[in-house]
Amino acid sequence: MDRGKTGLGLMCGGAAIGVAALMALTGSLSMEAPARAEAPPRALPAPPPGGVMGFVVQDFVPPVIQGMDACPKGTSPKVRDIYLASLPADERARLERKENEPELTKRWQATVFGADGTNICSQPDKFDRPLLATVQSADAGGLDLDGDAPGESCSHEEFTAPDGRTGIDNQEYRVMGCTLEWRGKDGIGGDLLTGMRQFHASDEWTQVILLRGVDSLENDDDVEVIYANTPDRPQLDSHGNFLPGYSFTISDKPPRHRNALHGHIVGGVLVTDAQDIKLAQTWGQGGARDIRGARTAYDFRHAKLRLAFQPDGSLRGLVGGYRPVFDVIQSPAIGGAGAALAAGIDCAGTLATLRKYADGIRDPKTGACSGVSSAMNLYAVPAFINDVPAPSARIAPAGTAHAGNKTL
């Protein structure tokens, strides 16, 4: 990669030139959704002049393979149903009669609470709850996270990706893939799939990708990748799809994050080296702390990007890494008892199941794992991306220009 292509302040201007050139080469953009990992199509255009490309992420959702094959016994039961299943058949039948609904409601809601005002979502460790029904299929979207780090994960069964890749690690999907929030009834998309885009469209979680030093969209062994958040709100069309060609400025001020990665392109697919990645995930908190005293975030450990360039100028693929098990239930844990009473979410049962299937973030002393492999489908459209200065540039004397971490 010729680092000189991005020098002398072309971080912003170069991104604009790169997007404009790519859009001119590829014509109008397809706004298909949701995102999915797939083999790159052929006939990719030449990279834009300067080798700088920018994108805004429209879809960032779990890679759920729809249909009921993965969950032959149906979706995981809610708290009310878990309570009913624990009863003798005759008592269950009695409580299910309409005239006994008030009694049933009182009794199942009582199971949400424990001693000293605790509840199954705010204090999930204090409850012994049934494990969730898990995905039974051998297929899942995701990445091979432990192939380049032998001995760093715990024993687990691996998946095969829809595109035929083997050794796929995605224990979060194994645990959460049969929940109504992820899968929905009759195998259709759950609430999470529609709700996630709202966070990205609102500027709370909005993500951008900036590429520098791209010499070829087919093969390039040295690409600088910035994966970050922005406070700028995307513009939408009448169908809720992100419009391409708008400008966004990267922010690394909490609760937002900026991740500098190294990648390479092989056969039209951009893959980054394993590295920890953090991204905004505030759940309406504005960066406030959760019940553990921590600020919520997408915290992917030993993470990678795998993104295929599309002829229409977009990117499709995956981000994957290991997540601390408690992070998976951050949203309902913040909701507390309301998450269990209103949405029927059994946080305690979910956390216990996540711990059973944990396969990453291995403690070198005990050998125990406290994280689950995870992945998100990602779909991004071209955009103008302005980067923040490198830390050294922020305190450099006036008139000093910087390219990356080098002073020119």
Side-chain angles (χ1 to χ4, degrees):
M1 181 178 83
D2 182 2
R3 296 289 181 189
K5 293 187 293 185
T6 61
L8 297 175
L10 287 179
M11 289 187 295
C12 303
I17 293 171
V19 173
L22 185 57
M23 291 174 68
L25 283 167
T26 60
S28 61
L29 296 169
S30 169
M31 309 306 312
E32 293 179 2
R36 62 187 183 277
E38 58 184 47
R42 296 301 84 204
L44 293 174
V52 181
M53 304 174 70
F55 305 86
V56 60
V57 175
Q58 172 178 297
D59 292 330
F60 180 81
V61 296
V64 177
I65 299 176
Q66 295 299 341
M68 295 307 295
D69 292 346
C71 309
K73 295 183 180 180
T75 53
S76 296
K78 295 294 188 178
V79 176
R80 177 184 183 274
D81 302 315
I82 293 172
Y83 173 71
L84 282 170
S86 70
L87 300 174
D90 57 346
E91 178 66 358
R92 180 166 62 250
R94 184 186 73 82
L95 287 174
E96 287 183 317
R97 291 199 291 267
K98 186 175 182 179
E99 64 268 23
N100 295 324
E101 181 63 31
E103 180 186 355
L104 171 59
T105 299
K106 182 178 180 180
R107 287 173 60 170
W108 79 256
Q109 289 187 349
T111 68
V112 170
F113 300 95
D116 303 320
T118 58
N119 67 77
I120 62 174
C121 281
S122 295
Q123 295 83 20
D125 288 311
K126 295 184 178 295
F127 294 81
D128 183 11
R129 302 284 298 177
L131 299 180
L132 270 60
T134 57
V135 168
Q136 300 301 303
S137 164
D139 301 320
L143 302 174
D144 181 357
L145 299 175
D146 57 9
D148 58 356
E152 294 299 318
S153 67
C154 294
S155 177
H156 62 286
E157 185 178 355
E158 296 181 324
F159 290 103
T160 298
D163 60 9
R165 287 176 296 114
T166 58
I168 300 302
D169 304 305
N170 196 342
Q171 293 294 79
E172 182 181 10
Y173 175 67
R174 189 182 301 281
V175 173
M176 303 299 295
C178 290
T179 64
L180 279 168
E181 289 73 30
W182 280 46
R183 184 166 300 277
K185 293 183 178 180
D186 302 322
I188 62 174
D191 294 340
L192 191 65
L193 303 182
T194 54
M196 294 282 281
R197 187 184 291 187
Q198 296 177 4
F199 282 102
H200 286 270
S202 70
D203 75 25
E204 288 187 74
W205 298 2
T206 309
Q207 300 172 6
V208 292
I209 298 171
L210 175 62
L211 308 180
R212 297 193 186 105
V214 181
D215 298 320
S216 166
L217 300 189
E218 295 283 356
N219 295 285
D220 191 330
D221 61 3
D222 189 11
V223 178
E224 182 182 2
V225 181
I226 307 298
Y227 186 23
N229 294 118
T230 176
D232 300 323
R233 181 173 295 186
Q235 299 299 307
L236 312 181
D237 66 15
S238 60
H239 298 287
N241 295 313
F242 289 12
L243 292 171
Y246 278 82
S247 297
F248 300 87
T249 297
I250 288 172
S251 174
D252 56 1
K253 295 180 180 179
R256 297 179 176 88
H257 299 271
R258 177 184 184 274
N259 305 277
L261 313 171
H262 176 265
H264 57 276
I265 300 171
V266 177
V269 178
L270 171 68
V271 179
T272 61
D273 300 336
Q275 180 179 320
D276 293 351
I277 292 175
K278 277 196 173 185
L279 297 161
Q281 185 202 43
T282 56
W283 296 113
Q285 300 165 282
R289 298 182 184 275
D290 70 4
I291 61 174
R292 300 167 299 159
R295 296 188 186 280
T296 60
Y298 276 106
D299 183 4
F300 294 101
R301 314 281 180 88
H302 195 73
K304 305 174 186 178
L305 288 168
R306 177 184 172 86
L307 304 172
F309 293 99
Q310 306 296 307
D312 65 5
S314 64
L315 286 175
R316 288 189 182 273
L318 294 151
V319 55
Y322 295 103
R323 299 181 66 195
V325 292
F326 193 94
D327 286 11
V328 179
I329 65 163
Q330 283 183 128
S331 176
I334 292 168
L341 296 174
I345 297 173
D346 186 348
C347 301
T350 303
L351 183 60
T353 312
L354 288 164
R355 284 174 171 160
K356 176 181 178 180
Y357 289 96
D359 63 328
I361 314 180
R362 188 170 184 267
D363 187 316
K365 294 182 179 179
T366 66
C369 283
S370 61
V372 287
S373 48
S374 173
M376 288 286 186
N377 270 340
L378 191 153
Y379 171 63
V381 300
F384 302 100
I385 307 302
N386 302 306
D387 200 3
V388 296
S392 58
R394 300 180 199 187
I395 59 174
T400 303
H402 292 260
N405 293 322
K406 297 181 180 179
T407 302
L408 301 178

